[in-house]
Amino acid sequence: MGAITSEHPKCMIEVSYKETILSHQLSQLVAYGIFDVVITTGYYDQILVDYCRSLHLPLKFTFVNNPDYASTNYIYSIYCACEALRDDDILLMHGDLVFENLVLEAALDCDTSCMAVSSTAPLPDKDFKAVVEQVRIRQVGIDFFDHAVAAQPLYKLKREDWAVWLGRIEQYCERGERNCYAERALNEVSDLMDLRPLDCKDRLCAEIDTPEDLETVKARLSKVSERTVYMCFSTEYIHFGHIAIINKARRLGRLIIGELSDEAVASYKRFPLIPYEERKTLMENIEGVERVVEQQTLSYADNLRRLKPDYVVHGDDWCEGFQKPIRQEVIDVLAGYGGQLVEYPYSSDPKYKELDAAHRAELSMPDVRRGRLRKLINMKGLMTAMEAHSGITGLIVEKTKVLQKGKTYQFDAVWISSLCDSTAKGKPDIALVDMTSRFRTIDDIMEVTTKPIIFDGDTGGLTEHFVYTVRSLERMDVSMVIIEDKTGLKKNSLFGTSVKQTQDSIEHFCEKIAAGKRAQKTKEFMICARIEPLILERGMEDVLQRAFAFVGAGADAIMIHSRRKDPAEIFEFVGRFRAQDKTTPIVVVPTSCNSVTEDEFKQRGVNVVIYANQLTRSGFPAMQQAARSILEHHRAKECDAMCMPIKEIITLIPEE
């Protein structure tokens, strides 16, 4: 190396503006949790010792001097240090070797002893080559070419294999053979060792022997330092498992975190307790995170195409389950420009499950759950609710998810319908099931779910009774009650004018709404006015008059109802209402006009879509069919195909 090493050993050559070969190696060891380092010295011994100490790294150094460095090879340096190297697994590397973190990581993760090789590099004339036979390294040296691959002096050695090699090194040195490669001793005992090739392919792992080597390595190391790494997070709390995988990711390059938007988190997992901006700030303050960007959907595709990271890092938990298509999409996008997916074992420490359970419990607390409905409407523009009439149907609403085109869809809220509640109890839908019984249904569902509850309050009853209903529902953590502007014995709206239904006066219903608003104690609870003139064929003008009057009386939302399959009158109402009122949420129940999509409703200004009775209507025919099959065949075998395995049902039910 000429003048480059005239004042210090070769390992102190600078490979970047801030690192030498040795400081690069030592920093890598610290990053991977290795703190005991044995360094053999010779040429410029004290300069090397002082330099290592000046780095102020958290390392325990053992320096061993080879007094005969000028006349011996490194086999004798190892011999001099043998007492410090016994009885442990070791990493063995030359002081002029530069390698990237992925190479070191692969070596540490190897289950056997290994040596770094490259199946893609040309065989060098004068440098190490390894002869590989039956997946094991049989010989290492500069003169082997048959069955050989380019090799570098970076070894990870299990204690038992290292003991064999070290024993032969001692024999060599004690009989005076000290001026040869240590690999000569290795070749004599390789059949007693399980030494495997670690194929680094095109990754950086190279010795510096000439000024030309130095320039080549500098250029490659500069490219390595410019690599970018992308990870996606949605978490609201950081535990050791997160820090561990972040540390692994930052070793691969400059780390960019994609933080899921609030809407994406709400659709993927559950409503975020901590909003996006705060989660973003949390991530920005973690050491090693270069920047944080918003990821607006569960799909990585848009961000990957824009940022083109060299690596995407993820736990291996997405290899199966509903995220599997997202993983495949990431692989496909990366393949398009030469990126790579790096996966690490998912951390399943029971403590993390306890944290998740605590987070879930917090979501179900009254002050948290009650206010989420308003926040979801503001966040998403349109949200969906599915009816539930028992704990198990509540769990179906809570846990059912569908992945489509990089987005996860799930219901945002639970609708507790008087029709379905009555039907589940085998009673007619005429308000025969009293509020005490209906409150028990709320309890059953709330006990096992975290989503906001929308309650069907029928007409609300007498104003004096409605006041107490509001207070009770608010205490129970319900987010919204919907009451319809009719009086007398409740009749289901689906009957329309075929049964006698009496509409309440605007003035009286406004008084009921106002009384309910005065009774509530929190600002989060919502009263929604359900307007029935379309059901009773009273005309659009009556509908609009009532809607604006009810909003003026304090209604937090308006529900418009229709029996027609044609959505024209719903669309007309929404358009005319939105022309004057841009903010009051509009709720629809598209039981009849079920061909209209949620996107169509959202584009027109609807905020809440309630699927009011589909679980009830689908569940009863299935049960009836199973019962009929058993009666017809006088056994249960034929109905098994229509039955869900009991194990799958049990997985819906939380353990606590």
Side-chain angles (χ1 to χ4, degrees), residues 172-209:
Y172 261 68
C173 292
E174 287 169 2
R175 64 177 183 241
E177 297 185 53
R178 301 176 177 182
N179 192 20
C180 62
Y181 292 127
E183 281 72 15
R184 182 184 294 180
L186 169 67
N187 294 339
E188 293 183 5
V189 293
S190 62
D191 59 333
L192 302 177
M193 300 168 61
D194 186 13
L195 181 62
R196 305 293 180 97
L198 177 68
D199 192 357
C200 303
K201 297 185 178 179
D202 296 324
R203 292 173 181 160
L204 174 59
C205 185
E207 282 187 298
I208 297 176
D209 291 324

Side-chain angles (χ1 to χ4, degrees), residues 92-103:
L92 176 63
M93 64 187 72
H94 285 196
D96 59 358
L97 188 66
V98 178
F99 44 86
E100 60 180 273
N101 286 334
L102 272 177
V103 173

Side-chain angles (χ1 to χ4, degrees), residues 561-562 588-596 601 608-612 614:
H561 205 26
S562 172
V588 297
V589 182
T591 305
S592 298
C593 54
N594 53 21
S595 63
V596 183
F601 281 126
V608 181
V609 174
I610 297 177
Y611 297 99
Q614 281 75 10

